[in-house]
Amino acid sequence: MSELLTGDGRTHVNSGLMRESLVSKKLIAETDKKEVRRMVPDVNMVSIGGQSIMDRGRDAILPIVDEIAKLKESHKMVVGVGGGARARHTLSIGLGLGLPIGGLARIVGGVEENNRDILQFLLAPHGGITFVKDHFQDLQLFLNNGMIPICIGQPPYHFWEPPSIEGGRLPDNGPDVGLFLMAEVIGVESVIYVKDVDGIYTDNPKKNPEAKFLAEVSAKELLEGDYPDLPVERELLRTLENARTIKSIRVINGLEAGNLQAALEGKPVGTLVYSSRYEK
Amino acid sequence: MKKDGKIWIAGIENELHGETLSSVSLRESLGKRESIKVLPEVWVVKIGGQSIMDRGAEAVLPILEELVEAKKEGVNFILCTGGGTRARHVYSLGLDLDLPTGMLARLGASIPVQNARMLQLLMAKHGGIMAYDEEFEKLPFFINSGCIPITTGMPPNEFWEKSSAEGIIPANRTDAGVYLLGEFLGAKGVLYIKDEDGLYTDDPKKDPDAEFIAETTATELIENGQDDLIVERVVIEYMQRAENIKEIQIVNGTKRGNIKAAFNGGHVGTIIRA
């Protein structure tokens, strides 16, 4: 039982952090943990790209939907989705209107909800259901009933989106980060980003034919080296470097059949990005 | 209609169209725009959890009196609360169970809401109302009708709070939430009401030799490696790249007159500048 302490004008609960400012570096270091507990470790987070997959329409979406439906029998999945062209249009109009970064972050998720609803509709025969923030703790109810929870990626920082580390007026935190963070708390088995390129290259392969493919790379290297363009958010890499339950992510080409299955089975497909905090 | 294999309609193209949003040159090209101020005449004020709320009536009631006086004199503010001792207790419990940072942030979010609700009950007769984050687009209505919006200082991150490089306790707590709210609103200022005169070279409650710092910069605080601070470390990091709130003040609310002086532009505590 906790003991109540008084005497300095405040009522404290006698806990390890009693009277601490929680800002002290020494104290923070003492609370460090290399690993933390996982909530539902046998799940996989599958992120479907907005621009790379959804904007392509039926040619790209339907084969992925079929693959997810088939793989559902052998793998538990949470499916997340980004915004794509409409997210970019939202940001562009918002920037032109002079909206602050927190305002952009508040509105941009709206178009991801379109994509989530589309995926839910298409996956409904196979158990696709919408998975929203307030039902995060109902995850097991959905999974144990054979459902495929489908969510948006944009994290709910909304007006509280921090000023950008990368400079510029765009929010650093987008759907890649949001889905990763859900995956981190769930403590998933794997995080797979389904895009329209084979993985990560030294530059954007659609614009630079000299760009070289990377089969494995650390997030730290991608952040510190000369990589002018990436198919994932840079904040995802910073977030991965500090993560405690997830040590790597995979970026795969969803336009090629079989890649998602290979990734779920842990086979070397696409690019593996690992956190330099851990041994590979 | 499709173009380059993607759904295309006239008007969808813009400077971000087809871009990854991770392009360094694209981001840099967007850097120079200014943004609008959302509520530039409103202060964002935080009442400390451990420093004020946990001291009970003796500390809380005179501060609320002073805030009501300021309101009557025409100062508009949003009142935010810290968590304090109960937040520390639940973090200790969470740490003991090896819970992840996102889960601790979720747990820590409940306590400042309790404190906000306490303040709302005390302030109701003066127009105190709860303003939940889902209702923030109604803030102009609340303020224009003479109310005092009261809310949690915690940002809505919860399960989406990131793990830190070191330590498991969430880096973004109520100081950060209050700062980011002020920054988003382009507020008149961000004021932290605590039980110390401001920032010291160490925690003055533990180190009697700690010296008072009347004025400093975020850069200095980051560079001098000081172990303890009176505001969450992320706040001074955010300040360095913020657009609006380039200065915050931390005042001792237990000394009558400090809060109103700060609203009037007075330097009565510690001022941290970007």
Side-chain angles (χ1 to χ4, degrees):
Chain A
M1 198 183 89
S2 295
E3 190 186 343
L4 293 177
L5 297 175
T6 52
D8 66 351
R10 301 181 287 188
T11 302
H12 296 282
V13 183
N14 191 3
S15 73
L17 304 173
M18 185 182 67
R19 291 194 183 93
E20 294 294 347
S21 69
L22 301 192
V23 176
S24 157
K25 285 186 200 163
K26 271 183 280 183
L27 176 87
I28 294 296
E30 283 165 17
T31 69
D32 199 28
K33 287 173 199 290
K34 290 209 166 45
E35 297 224 24
V36 291
R37 199 172 295 277
R38 291 156 188 265
M39 190 169 95
V40 189
D42 60 345
V43 188
N44 300 277
M45 175 63 79
V46 178
S47 161
I48 307 295
Q51 175 163 258
S52 51
I53 302 294
M54 296 303 291
D55 287 350
R56 292 182 179 277
R58 63 188 303 148
D59 300 345
I61 299 171
L62 297 181
I64 294 264
V65 162
D66 289 344
E67 202 165 339
I68 290 171
K70 185 186 79 179
L71 293 166
K72 176 206 136 182
E73 301 308 322
S74 46
H75 297 89
K76 284 187 191 173
M77 282 176 275
V78 173
V79 175
V81 69
R86 295 186 308 284
R88 283 153 181 80
H89 189 265
T90 308
L91 292 170
S92 171
I93 298 287
L95 281 169
L97 293 171
L99 301 188
I101 212 158
L104 296 174
R106 182 68 184 91
I107 57 178
V108 73
V111 292
E112 293 180 9
E113 290 172 4
N114 295 156
N115 286 344
R116 176 201 63 198
D117 291 347
I118 289 169
L119 284 181
Q120 187 279 328
F121 187 96
L122 296 172
L123 280 163
H126 312 285
I129 48 159
T130 56
F131 181 40
V132 298
K133 189 184 158 196
D134 289 346
H135 288 278
F136 188 75
Q137 289 155 312
D138 298 336
L139 178 60
Q140 283 289 55
L141 174 68
F142 305 145
L143 294 172
N144 288 347
N145 284 288
M147 303 286 163
I148 308 170
I150 304 163
C151 58
I152 64 163
Q154 189 69 28
Y157 298 161
H158 298 167
F159 302 134
W160 289 261
E161 173 74 25
S164 170
I165 294 174
E166 290 162 45
R169 307 241 54 85
L170 293 176
D172 289 340
N173 296 289
D176 294 346
V177 174
L179 294 172
F180 181 88
L181 290 167
M182 289 175 86
E184 163 88 338
V185 174
I186 297 170
V188 300
E189 204 166 275
S190 71
V191 187
I192 301 161
Y193 290 90
V194 181
K195 307 267 177 180
D196 63 351
V197 284
D198 287 340
I200 295 181
Y201 289 72
T202 52
D203 195 1
N204 186 343
K206 290 178 191 154
K207 293 182 180 176
N208 178 359
E210 312 275 293
K212 289 190 185 67
F213 177 74
L214 304 164
E216 275 193 18
V217 63
S218 75
K220 190 166 185 266
E221 167 62 20
L222 289 175
L223 286 167
E224 291 175 0
D226 180 25
Y227 301 92
D229 202 353
L230 296 169
V232 291
E233 293 150 23
R234 278 172 213 275
E235 185 62 18
L236 170 67
L237 305 171
R238 288 188 279 268
T239 308
L240 170 61
E241 277 294 322
N242 289 338
R244 300 300 199 283
T245 66
I246 298 169
K247 297 172 182 174
S248 64
I249 58 162
R250 203 173 272 287
V251 180
I252 62 167
N253 190 344
L255 303 181
E256 284 173 17
N259 278 351
L260 180 59
Q261 180 170 0
L264 285 169
E265 289 168 357
K267 290 181 182 150
V269 55
T271 297
L272 181 84
V273 186
Y274 58 91
S275 164
S276 68
R277 287 175 80 96
Y278 304 95
E279 297 292 315
K280 264 188 284 166
Chain B
M1 184 178 164
K2 285 193 185 180
K3 194 171 169 180
D4 301 328
K6 291 179 185 169
I7 303 291
W8 183 90
I9 60 158
I12 197 69
E13 272 156 6
N14 56 75
E15 74 271 49
L16 306 176
H17 186 74
E19 297 287 344
T20 65
L21 306 188
S22 294
S23 156
V24 174
S25 56
L26 173 81
R27 288 210 168 232
E28 281 172 359
S29 73
L30 299 170
K32 290 173 198 78
R33 307 183 192 206
E34 273 193 24
S35 31
I36 55 139
K37 310 279 180 269
V38 178
L39 286 175
E41 293 304 320
V42 174
W43 285 81
V44 179
V45 179
K46 179 188 156 182
I47 292 198
Q50 179 163 251
S51 54
I52 304 296
M53 293 302 296
D54 291 343
R55 290 183 176 275
E58 202 186 331
V60 174
L61 300 182
I63 287 172
L64 297 187
E65 271 175 35
E66 196 173 338
L67 286 167
V68 169
E69 277 173 30
K71 178 76 182 175
K72 285 180 180 158
E73 290 164 17
V75 181
N76 282 319
F77 53 87
I78 299 163
L79 199 54
C80 309
T81 49
T85 298
R86 295 187 305 283
R88 284 157 178 77
H89 186 268
V90 80
Y91 289 145
S92 298
L93 178 55
L95 286 168
D96 196 47
L97 290 166
D98 297 326
L99 299 185
T101 297
M103 185 60 193
L104 294 186
R106 164 80 176 188
L107 296 171
S110 309
I111 315 295
V113 175
Q114 293 181 305
N115 286 340
R117 288 190 167 129
M118 289 189 206
L119 292 189
Q120 191 277 325
L121 290 175
L122 295 167
M123 299 284 267
K125 56 182 172 288
H126 305 291
I129 49 161
M130 281 298 283
Y132 299 95
D133 59 349
E134 286 299 317
E135 293 174 329
F136 267 39
E137 283 139 330
K138 297 193 188 81
L139 279 174
F141 167 59
F142 298 158
I143 289 164
N144 291 345
S145 55
C147 288
I148 301 173
I150 302 171
T151 188
T152 171
M154 206 69 173
N157 305 11
E158 300 200 359
F159 292 120
W160 285 261
E161 174 73 19
K162 292 167 192 166
S163 302
S164 301
E166 189 168 55
I168 294 297
I169 294 173
N172 291 282
R173 300 187 304 276
T174 52
D175 292 344
V178 166
Y179 177 80
L180 290 173
L181 179 58
E183 170 67 11
F184 161 66
L185 293 173
K188 193 159 189 178
V190 174
L191 184 65
Y192 293 90
I193 302 174
K194 306 237 179 187
D195 65 343
E196 296 287 353
D197 290 337
L199 178 70
Y200 287 78
T201 51
D202 197 5
D203 185 346
K205 293 194 177 67
K206 286 183 251 160
D207 178 1
D209 294 329
E211 283 169 40
F212 179 67
I213 303 168
E215 202 176 330
T216 185
T217 66
T219 313
E220 237 171 280
L221 288 174
I222 287 169
E223 282 173 2
N224 75 12
Q226 179 171 337
D227 180 65
D228 214 341
L229 292 174
I230 200 166
V231 288
E232 289 153 22
R233 220 164 275 276
V234 289
V235 171
I236 55 179
E237 289 169 21
Y238 293 153
M239 282 184 80
Q240 289 191 305
R241 44 184 213 257
E243 183 185 4
N244 295 318
I245 307 296
K246 303 282 198 185
E247 169 181 319
I248 56 174
Q249 186 164 197
I250 299 128
V251 298
N252 188 343
T254 66
K255 291 183 185 165
R256 190 72 182 227
N258 273 352
I259 297 168
K260 278 165 68 176
F263 282 145
N264 289 324
H267 183 174
V268 287
T270 292
I271 292 182
I272 303 175
R273 295 196 167 88

